[in-house]
Amino acid sequence: LNTEVCHVHNFHTFITGGATARTQLHWLEVVLEEAQATGDSVLITGHIAPGIWSGCWGAYSELYESLLARYAHSVSGQIFGHQHSGSFRLLRSPSISSTPAYGVAYVTPSLTSYKNQNPSFRLYQLGGTSLKISDIEQYYLKLGAADADGNGGPLLWSPGYIPRSVLTVPDLTPPSWQDVLNRMWGNETFAKAVRATEANGREWMGNNEVRDYLCGITGVTDAEYVKCSGKSEEVMIRQYTGSAHTYVLTAMFPFHVALDHFKDVLTGIDPSDVSPVY
């Protein structure tokens, strides 16, 4: 999937209401319908994982989550990137935190050394007749050691994060990841240790607040994130972009366009008082 269509930096999507994104999701629906009819399995890959915490507009994430729930048995896995540190997202239907997760979207760390990260890659193993993701091995390059060597020798990739052994889970099914999430909610030290392992020992990329991290992987819809974190979508976008204000939006778009998009999460605004934008 070209998930750039849902990126919060994609102002074309913002002002058009995500028409291109909806077209792509319709195409995905056709592919999944055909796979279900023929008994095939579909491996979904993309750059930006679903969820406003990942930098993907909430409306797209909600539609994506709802669509995959209908074809969960035909989806062998979901693999994304963008965040530079490893992570995962749980998908639910209906999308509330008390609903059992039906799917897992994996976030693969980056092969680049952006912001002093150790370059990293993952091996995903597909197993069984449904070709579900059954195992993960993460490797990383110790950047400091490679720089110090300086003799042009072979790069030595070290084994790092292997979820089944590090997290002591029997498998990589949604219930197992829910168990990991529950343990992190109950133990902040454990949550920080998992995050450090995902980031290969370097500073975890993204918002460093542990609660935001846990809220972000609990679900992918705006409503659940806002309720969990106590932060509005507008605040989350400011954190994601590193901006103190949303002046970029108000400078590029008429005020009523920005207000219409954020009306549901702005404190003190009654959505019924905002006229629809056509």
Side-chain angles (χ1 to χ4, degrees), residues 22-196:
R22 289 195 300 272
T23 299
Q24 181 173 237
L25 288 177
H26 175 68
W27 169 82
L28 176 60
E29 181 178 15
V30 172
V31 171
L32 292 174
E33 180 69 30
E34 292 177 351
Q36 182 173 270
T38 58
D40 290 332
S41 295
V42 176
L43 177 65
I44 297 175
T45 63
H47 183 63
I48 305 172
I52 193 67
W53 188 67
S54 306
C56 181
W57 285 117
Y60 175 95
S61 301
E62 188 170 347
L63 290 172
Y64 174 86
E65 183 180 48
S66 176
L67 173 61
L68 259 65
R70 292 157 45 197
Y71 301 99
H73 294 297
S74 298
V75 177
S76 61
Q78 307 167 62
I79 302 174
F80 298 92
H82 183 63
Q83 202 156 19
H84 292 262
S85 297
S87 188
F88 67 96
R89 311 283 184 272
L90 293 180
L91 277 67
R92 309 172 189 276
S93 180
S95 187
I96 53 178
S97 58
S98 59
T99 303
Y102 74 80
V104 183
Y106 293 101
V107 179
T108 303
S110 175
L111 193 60
T112 75
S113 56
Y114 179 66
K115 291 191 174 180
N116 203 35
Q117 295 291 300
N118 283 322
S120 183
F121 67 89
R122 280 183 179 178
L123 299 179
Y124 289 92
Q125 180 175 316
L126 307 181
T129 56
S130 60
L131 295 179
K132 298 287 186 181
I133 293 178
S134 58
D135 212 351
I136 298 172
E137 295 180 4
Q138 181 170 305
Y139 294 83
Y140 69 99
L141 176 67
K142 297 178 181 178
L143 201 58
D147 289 342
D149 182 20
N151 62 6
L155 298 176
L156 300 178
W157 295 88
S158 303
Y161 179 49
I162 302 177
R164 290 185 64 181
S165 58
V166 171
L167 304 176
T168 61
V169 291
D171 51 45
L172 300 184
T173 60
S176 289
W177 282 110
Q178 181 64 61
D179 177 65
V180 171
L181 178 59
N182 293 342
R183 288 155 58 192
M184 288 196 286
W185 272 115
N187 187 331
E188 184 173 318
T189 300
F190 175 65
K192 289 180 177 179
V194 172
R195 195 167 62 174

Side-chain angles (χ1 to χ4, degrees), residues 4 6-13 55 57 82 237 240-243:
E4 292 294 335
C6 73
H7 195 194
V8 297
H9 284 172
N10 188 337
F11 294 118
H12 173 75
T13 294
W57 285 117
H82 183 63
I237 290 173
Y240 177 83
T241 58
S243 301

